[in-house]
Every structure is written in C-alpha cells, then in structure tokens.
Amino acid sequence: MKRAVKINLNGRIFHIDEDAFDKLKNYLDTISSHFSNVEESKEVIDDIESRIAELFEERLKDQSQVINDKQVEEIIEIMGRPEEIVDEEIQGEEKKRSYESSNNKHRRLYRDPDNSVFGGVAAGLSAYFNIDILVVRILFVVLILAGWGLPLILYLVLWIAVPKASTAAEKLEMKGEKVNVSNLEKKVREEYEDVKENFKKARHSSAGRKTEDTFHEIFRIFGVIIVGFVKVILAIIAVGFVIAGISLIVSLIGLAFFGVGASGWGLFHIWDADLSHFIVPFINPTNLTLIGVSAILIVMIPVLAIIYGLFKALFRFKAKDKALGVVSFTLWFFALFTTITFGLIEIKEYSESEDTIDSYRFEEISGNTLHISMSDFDEDLLEDNEFFRFGENQYLMASDENIYGEVTIDFKKSQTEYFEMEIEKASRGGDYEEALDFAENIEYNLQCRTPC
Amino acid sequence: MSVENSKAQMRKGILEYCILLMLSRKDAYATDIINQLKTAKLIVVEGTLYPLLTRQKNAGLLTYRWEESTQGPPRKYYTLTEIGKSYLKELDKSWIELVNSIESIRKSK
C-alpha cells in the first residue's frame, strides 16, 4: 500500500504516489538549485512543470489515475537529467559568468553526509570554517567534557536543525566562499567594476547621461560600502548576543540544579542568603520544583530561540524547523501555565492573615520599675546563619531549621493597676483558621525572675 | 572524445539559431518548438530548451504572450522581437558563411 498525494502542476491536479512525488520534487529542486539567478530559475521551472503536466496528461487514461515511480522516471528521461539541462545551459560567456557566480556564492552551513560519524555536524562545520575536521571533532569532545555534557544539546540541536547537503549544488554551497572582510572588499571591488562597465555602456549609448551616471556610480559604491559595514557590525552584535545568551542559559541551569549561594552572582544577592535555602520552608517542595523548572523554561526557550535564529542568520542555513518551533512554543506556553497555576496556588497559601494575642498580668510584681532584658540569646546564631528581610521585619534562618523573627517592643500605659504584657502573634495562611493556627503556634521564651 | 559528444556539441551551437528561425516563421509555444526540434533530431532531452528560451527572452530576442488553449491551461506563445529579428539576420549571414566554408573545405582536395 502506498500513500498518494495531490499535486498542482501548472493549474492541473494530478494524483501521484509518495515515492514518485519525492522523486519528482527532488528532480525539480535539483534543477532549480543549479541556477544562480532566482527569477530565471523560477521561470524555467514553471515552463518545465507545465511541460511535465502535458506529458502526464498524455500518459494517463483518466484524471484519477495515480502516477507512479516508473512514469516519473520516464518523464525525467524525456526532460533530461539536471546535469544535461544545466550543462547545455552553460555556454560561452554564460559559462564564465556562472562559474564566477558559483564561486562567489556565500557558504551555507550544511551537514556533510560524506564525512560523518554521527550526523555530519562536525564535518559540516569544518567545511564551513575551512578547518581540519579532526580539530573540530577534538574541539567538540573537549567542549562536551568541559561543559558537563551541555554542548551535547547544541550538537543535537544542530543535528536536527541543520539540513543535510544532499545535492551536488548544496555540497558546493557547503564549501563555498566564506564571508569575511577580505571577501567583502573583493565584493565591493567587483561591484565597482560592474558599475564601471555599466557606466561605459551607458556612455556609449547616450552621452547626455554622463553626469547623472557618475553620481549614480558614486552613490552605488557608497551604498555597497555602507551595507558591507552594517553587515559586519550586525554579525559582531549577533555573536555577542549568542555568547550572552549561552552564559545566561548556563547560569539558569546552575540556579536550577545547585541554587545560588551567598558567594554567587550579584543578580541573586537580594537576601544575603542562599535563595533555595530561604525559599524551601515556605513553599511546597513539589510546587517549588515545578515553578522553578517552568520559570527557567520560560526564560530559556526564548533565549534559545534567539540564539538559534542568530546562528541561522550567521551560518545562513536553511532549516526545516517548523516542528521544532511548534514544540518549543507549546512547551513555553505550558511552562507559563504551570508557573501561573502553581504560583497562584502558593500565593493562595498566604492569602489570609490573622493574629492572636497572649495576655499576661503580673499581679505579683510590686514597685514602679519594670526591668526587661534579653535572655539566653545564642550569639552563635548571628555568626553562622543567614538573614532575610520580609516586609518590615528581619528574620533569621537557623541551621536547626527554625526561623527566628525580630520582636518589636512597644510601651504603653496600662489600663489597670498592674503591669500587663500582650504578645501579638501574626501569621498568614490559606484561610483564617490556618492563619490563626499558625499564629498560635509561634513559640517564644518568657521568663520571670519573680513568679508570674 | 566520443562521436555522441561531438554531435551534441554541434547541435548545441545551432540550437539557438534554429529556435529563432522557427519563431521567425510562426509564433509558437514550447511544445510546438520541441516537436519540430525532435522531428529534426536537433534535440535529445526536452529540458534543454527551457533555459535557452528564458535566456533568449531575457536577452530581449523574444517575448511571449499568454494564449488560451482548447485543451488545458493557457500557453506561452513566443514571438520574435525587433532585436531578435536583426539578431537572426546576423546569424543567417554567419550560417551561410559557415556552410560555404565547410563545404569548400570538404570539397577541396
């Protein structure tokens, strides 16, 4: 059983089985890749397509018959191999010109199937940068070892995204001329020669346009130089972005796996404390992991997408990345949804606040002076542990997993004839009851010298 | 070096001239031209013709118009331009010269 597809050739619909379709498409693509001029290529392909439509029509008994492999081969036989068509196209001056233009073609990054071990990425890169393939491979291995295997992801992404050089033209393009400053200069010079040539022709045809052409020439040269400079600058910016993006990703992954310590980067230095250490007692660990991972994805996917786009622009490769895009977008959206959902769940845990008051009346204390002092304070706590601020108050996270809070003391005139003390304990929780429960569970040490 | 190759090279040189000749008699669309060239055994694979036509058109020797057809979609009818006509005259001259010189070489002993 074979699948059949419907194709439109010059306005006529044909049914064609998949193998035959691939063969035909490959044939037309190969022909079109041999042309240096896009418009010319399109025109010739259109003509060839309409002839192929005619030939199919002559051969089919009725419109619903499915075209098979053999019939496509027969058509290719009649139309001629791409080499025959193109070889005959290149004649005399054309030959010289198209030779030059194929030499002038900028390189594109392809995977090289002829020298591949896995996907041919290293071989493709070595062709692109014109470095020995061994050097590229060693570099890859060193990078993968040094980067904890992370560059492996880069390799996989390149494998998926970079197209394989399958046709002869693509293989040529893979090894084409590299874009660099000296080439740019050459290009400018060539443009200049072209303009001079045109100028000469124009002068022969009408002397009156002389001045106009001189101006035109000057403007064009300026234009070419400016465009060249802008391209170089853009390339430098793009490389900068790629480096910045990669370091951002590395730091995000670092944050995800190891947390960021007090000695870590300034960006996360807000609490003077280990961020993960601080957050853990307050958030459900499962939710924390989910939120953490999806938050990282939310940042990472667009960064990766930008890096990928820049790579694509830098190396000028054509990629079939629609599926990749859909998957990443879906993943990103899912991550956003997860962060918002679990973020809201966690926020709800702190939505209500409640306080409770413990009241004491010191009936036994006589006299008119009350001495208050701090007792049993373990000075070591201040040394070894980390502080964080939350709202107005400072807290201390101790290694014994307790959180010590700051106490605010207020003195007021008592309403009765005794010394009285009120301890107000406040907490937040998912609802009033929970908040109250938490508040009541706040512990404190109170000692009286005299009985109380 | 092979006979087939030499024959192909010969055909190649005169193909351009033949297309212009045919179009000077009557406007035609690609399949007409192909059939004539095939009958004359001047062309082996059909694909060769299309780049040639496009190149001649881009050089200003030909233009085309779309014409409705009784079977199927509209067809591209090619016609010679003024430049094409004078170009053809040049080729006519050089063809006669070529034939004369070759004949004289062939007949000389």
Side-chain angles (χ1 to χ4, degrees):
Chain A
M1 191 171 74
K2 269 184 183 172
R3 245 161 49 130
V5 282
K6 238 191 219 175
I7 54 168
N8 177 346
L9 276 181
N10 192 33
R12 275 172 278 198
I13 301 288
F14 293 97
H15 297 270
I16 180 166
D17 79 41
E18 238 177 0
D19 292 346
F21 171 75
D22 287 342
K23 193 167 273 180
L24 185 62
K25 189 168 186 311
N26 192 25
Y27 174 67
L28 290 171
D29 285 349
T30 313
I31 296 176
S32 103
S33 71
H34 281 298
F35 287 93
S36 49
N37 180 333
V38 182
E39 261 168 60
E40 198 177 305
S41 149
K42 200 191 162 304
E43 225 173 327
V44 172
I45 293 292
D46 279 350
D47 289 344
I48 288 177
E49 276 185 11
S50 67
R51 175 62 179 157
I52 290 176
E54 270 183 3
L55 290 171
F56 276 151
E57 218 152 62
E58 285 169 14
R59 276 161 183 73
L60 296 179
K61 288 179 204 95
D62 63 283
Q63 279 290 11
S64 62
Q65 196 188 335
V66 177
I67 296 162
N68 60 30
D69 228 28
K70 259 213 180 109
Q71 281 160 315
V72 170
E73 263 166 31
E74 197 184 325
I75 298 295
I76 292 177
E77 189 83 9
I78 294 170
M79 298 305 288
R81 298 257 133 222
E83 300 84 64
E84 292 176 279
I85 296 173
V86 174
D87 187 47
E88 294 197 35
E89 186 239 356
I90 302 169
Q91 300 170 20
E93 201 182 338
E94 285 295 313
K95 195 171 197 164
K96 194 175 134 237
R97 285 204 62 182
S98 78
Y99 170 73
E100 276 174 2
S101 78
S102 79
N103 236 13
N104 269 340
K105 249 184 205 167
H106 291 176
R107 280 181 197 204
R108 279 179 192 282
L109 184 60
Y110 284 104
R111 288 186 290 115
D112 183 357
D114 301 335
N115 300 308
S116 72
V117 173
F118 296 108
V121 174
L125 283 171
S126 95
Y128 186 87
F129 290 112
N130 201 9
I131 319 170
D132 192 273
I133 186 161
L134 197 66
V135 178
V136 180
R137 289 207 169 115
I138 290 172
L139 222 67
F140 247 117
V141 171
V142 169
L143 263 178
I144 287 170
L145 290 178
W148 297 63
L150 270 177
L152 210 62
I153 299 174
L154 183 74
Y155 184 89
L156 289 177
V157 167
L158 287 175
W159 191 348
I160 295 166
V162 178
K164 194 167 74 182
S166 37
T167 67
E170 283 170 348
K171 279 175 190 164
L172 267 179
E173 220 173 15
M174 182 172 78
K175 290 171 186 163
E177 211 164 301
K178 215 175 101 192
V179 199
N180 58 29
V181 180
S182 78
N183 278 338
L184 213 65
E185 190 209 311
K186 196 173 139 204
K187 181 119 185 149
V188 171
R189 215 168 43 224
E190 277 168 11
E191 286 282 340
Y192 175 76
E193 292 296 327
D194 268 0
V195 172
K196 224 161 81 178
E197 194 75 10
N198 289 345
F199 177 48
K200 250 186 225 159
K201 272 187 212 155
R203 195 162 49 181
H204 284 306
S205 66
S206 80
R209 288 216 193 126
K210 211 166 168 181
T211 23
E212 202 181 312
D213 277 323
T214 315
F215 272 113
H216 191 224
E217 179 186 15
I218 290 167
F219 274 118
R220 250 188 89 178
I221 294 167
F222 262 112
V224 170
I225 291 170
I226 289 167
V227 166
F229 268 112
V230 168
K231 271 188 181 167
V232 169
I233 288 164
L234 281 180
I236 291 169
I237 292 173
V239 169
F241 265 112
V242 167
I243 292 168
I246 289 173
S247 36
L248 181 57
I249 284 174
V250 169
S251 56
L252 278 171
I253 289 169
L255 178 66
F257 287 115
F258 311 113
V260 176
S263 55
W265 291 289
L267 184 61
F268 301 104
H269 225 232
I270 310 162
W271 289 282
D272 217 8
D274 186 324
L275 183 63
S276 55
H277 184 186
F278 156 72
I279 250 170
V280 163
F282 296 100
I283 297 180
N284 175 320
T286 318
N287 292 357
L288 181 63
T289 314
L290 281 170
I291 291 172
V293 169
S294 45
I296 284 165
L297 284 179
I298 288 175
V299 183
M300 215 156 97
I301 289 171
V303 172
L304 276 176
I306 291 169
I307 292 176
Y308 172 71
L310 290 173
F311 254 109
K312 223 170 120 169
L314 274 179
F315 294 125
R316 300 163 31 85
F317 62 80
K318 305 178 226 163
K320 288 167 187 155
D321 45 15
K322 217 172 175 181
L324 202 70
V326 170
V327 169
S328 356
F329 186 75
T330 314
L331 200 63
W332 185 84
F333 201 77
F334 185 72
L336 187 70
F337 179 77
T338 311
T339 312
I340 291 174
T341 311
F342 287 95
L344 285 176
I345 289 173
E346 281 307 317
I347 286 169
K348 210 195 154 287
E349 291 291 308
Y350 295 93
S351 59
E352 302 296 345
S353 80
E354 192 60 282
D355 50 28
T356 171
I357 294 173
D358 296 346
S359 292
Y360 298 88
R361 175 177 287 188
F362 306 106
E363 293 183 2
E364 283 79 7
I365 298 174
S366 54
N368 49 19
T369 310
L370 179 71
H371 293 274
I372 300 169
S373 63
M374 203 158 73
S375 67
D376 285 347
F377 181 70
D378 182 4
E379 293 281 338
D380 287 348
L381 276 179
L382 289 178
E383 290 285 316
D384 303 337
N385 294 295
E386 292 149 338
F387 290 95
F388 60 91
R389 270 190 178 282
F390 193 75
E392 293 272 287
N393 298 315
Q394 198 169 343
Y395 296 87
L396 185 127
M397 175 95 61
S399 47
D400 57 12
E401 301 211 326
N402 287 323
I403 294 164
Y404 295 89
E406 199 179 28
V407 180
T408 317
I409 303 174
D410 254 346
F411 296 97
K412 281 182 192 158
K413 198 181 170 196
S414 167
Q415 301 291 316
T416 64
E417 52 187 293
Y418 304 106
F419 287 110
E420 282 179 49
M421 185 172 71
E422 286 183 347
I423 292 176
E424 191 181 324
K425 300 182 288 186
S427 175
R428 287 188 164 267
D431 52 46
Y432 285 112
E433 273 170 42
E434 193 184 50
L436 187 63
D437 190 43
F438 287 160
E440 278 168 352
N441 273 311
I442 294 173
E443 289 174 3
Y444 53 91
N445 285 325
L446 189 68
Q447 287 170 354
C448 300
R449 294 259 169 77
T450 49
C452 54
Chain B
M1 259 294 165
S2 75
V3 179
E4 276 314 307
N5 197 9
S6 300
K7 280 187 190 167
Q9 295 290 336
M10 277 185 177
R11 279 200 296 268
K12 222 187 270 183
I14 53 171
L15 199 53
E16 212 173 318
Y17 176 45
C18 290
I19 293 171
L20 295 179
L21 264 181
M22 286 172 187
L23 290 176
S24 73
R25 308 266 184 283
K26 202 177 131 216
D27 293 354
Y29 90 111
T31 307
D32 290 340
I33 302 172
I34 279 173
N35 290 337
Q36 288 186 62
L37 287 174
K38 274 193 162 171
T39 324
K41 291 192 175 162
L42 277 170
I43 198 168
V44 180
V45 288
E46 295 191 6
T48 323
L49 179 71
Y50 299 96
L52 210 52
L53 280 174
T54 305
R55 233 153 23 85
Q56 289 185 329
K57 189 214 76 188
N58 289 344
L61 307 181
L62 314 174
T63 78
Y64 63 82
R65 58 174 192 279
W66 289 101
E67 213 161 84
E68 292 299 328
S69 117
T70 45
Q71 322 125 3
R75 292 165 171 179
K76 254 184 186 175
Y77 269 84
Y78 288 93
T79 177
L80 275 187
T81 61
E82 285 309 312
I83 303 172
K85 281 175 192 162
S86 52
Y87 193 94
L88 179 60
K89 265 181 206 152
E90 288 293 314
L91 290 186
D92 271 335
K93 255 191 249 163
S94 98
W95 174 250
I96 291 164
E97 278 167 20
L98 207 62
V99 171
N100 285 340
S101 33
I102 290 170
E103 282 306 306
S104 67
I105 291 170
R106 272 162 56 90
K107 280 168 191 162
S108 70
K109 278 172 186 169

